[in-house]
Amino acid sequence: LWRLHECTNPDPDPAPWPESRVVARAWEIFRSFPLQPPQLSLQPAPSGITGLESFASAPVPAPLGHRETLPDGTSLEVRAEVGEAHVSWGDGTPVAIHPPGALLPWPDGSAGHIYTLKTCPPSYRRTHPSGGNCHPLLEAYPVQATFVWGAQYRHGDRWIDLGTLWRSTTIAYDVDEAVGVLR
């Protein structure tokens, strides 16, 4: 009663797993991967300048993989990597879709954006003579970067697309204005 009995008749020929169960297990593995969101930084830092291009950068995480033997003795492999990087600049412009390697710091990166309105606190917008040059609502632009992780699985000879999972990061980005003054 107090110990488990040793199994004396193991099943010598377990039934093969149906493909739907293999796919469910592959998804379980994919969801268990530590899929990192972008570690987003913006240039120029700490604030952008209207009319000057700002750049988003984020290092691309290494691909992930897992291999296991299923109870029926067959092998299941799952791999995942970042396939796309999306950047929403927070000013209402369309989301920019980039290959993940595009999110590099200036001058090597290509994920850039030019802001036309500076961001200001509400009191500045109401009382300062140039408060009308501010975004009407925002004190900082909510810049969001998303890594789209794609996965594939192999149960047999060929790799099969599994799907995608998204991981995002949002940071507040203040944008200032530089005004030249004649002397």
Side-chain angles (χ1 to χ4, degrees), residues 40-43 53-58 85-87 89 96-106 108-114:
L40 180 63
S41 62
L42 297 168
Q43 292 175 306
E53 194 167 22
S54 294
F55 287 88
S57 64
H86 297 187
V87 180
W89 293 97
I97 300 173
H98 302 278
L103 271 65
L104 296 172
W106 183 87
D108 300 319
S110 61
H113 181 71
I114 297 175

Side-chain angles (χ1 to χ4, degrees), residues 36-42 56-58 84-90 95-96 98 103 111 142-148 166-171:
Q36 296 178 4
Q39 295 176 348
L40 180 63
S41 62
L42 297 168
S57 64
E84 291 180 345
H86 297 187
V87 180
S88 171
W89 293 97
V95 172
H98 302 278
L103 271 65
V143 180
Q144 183 180 64
T146 302
F147 281 157
V148 180
W166 295 31
R167 298 294 183 261
S168 298
T169 301
T170 302
I171 61 174

Side-chain angles (χ1 to χ4, degrees), residues 5-155:
H5 297 286
E6 196 174 306
C7 184
T8 57
N9 189 16
D11 187 359
D13 188 21
W17 273 31
E19 194 62 22
S20 62
R21 191 166 178 196
V22 172
V23 172
R25 178 63 185 147
W27 265 105
E28 184 180 0
I29 293 166
F30 181 31
R31 285 191 305 269
S32 74
F33 282 159
L35 304 176
Q36 296 178 4
Q39 295 176 348
L40 180 63
S41 62
L42 297 168
Q43 292 175 306
S47 300
I49 300 172
T50 58
L52 177 68
E53 194 167 22
S54 294
F55 287 88
S57 64
V60 180
L64 302 170
H66 175 80
R67 181 183 180 147
E68 68 180 34
T69 302
L70 298 176
D72 66 357
T74 60
S75 176
L76 172 63
E77 292 178 79
V78 179
R79 64 183 181 192
E81 66 182 344
V82 176
E84 291 180 345
H86 297 187
V87 180
S88 171
W89 293 97
D91 62 353
T93 56
V95 172
I97 300 173
H98 302 278
L103 271 65
L104 296 172
W106 183 87
D108 300 319
S110 61
H113 181 71
I114 297 175
Y115 288 98
T116 58
L117 291 175
K118 64 181 177 178
T119 54
C120 311
S123 61
Y124 183 93
R125 286 194 296 265
R126 284 191 309 270
T127 61
H128 196 275
S130 67
N133 296 341
C134 299
H135 188 282
L137 302 172
L138 298 175
E139 293 185 44
Y141 289 105
V143 180
Q144 183 180 64
T146 302
F147 281 157
V148 180
W149 286 85
Q152 297 177 316
Y153 75 97
R154 180 165 61 183
H155 181 242

Side-chain angles (χ1 to χ4, degrees), residues 156-174:
D157 294 337
R158 61 185 171 86
W159 288 98
I160 300 169
D161 284 333
L162 186 59
T164 60
L165 293 173
W166 295 31
R167 298 294 183 261
S168 298
T169 301
T170 302
I171 61 174
Y173 190 53
D174 179 42

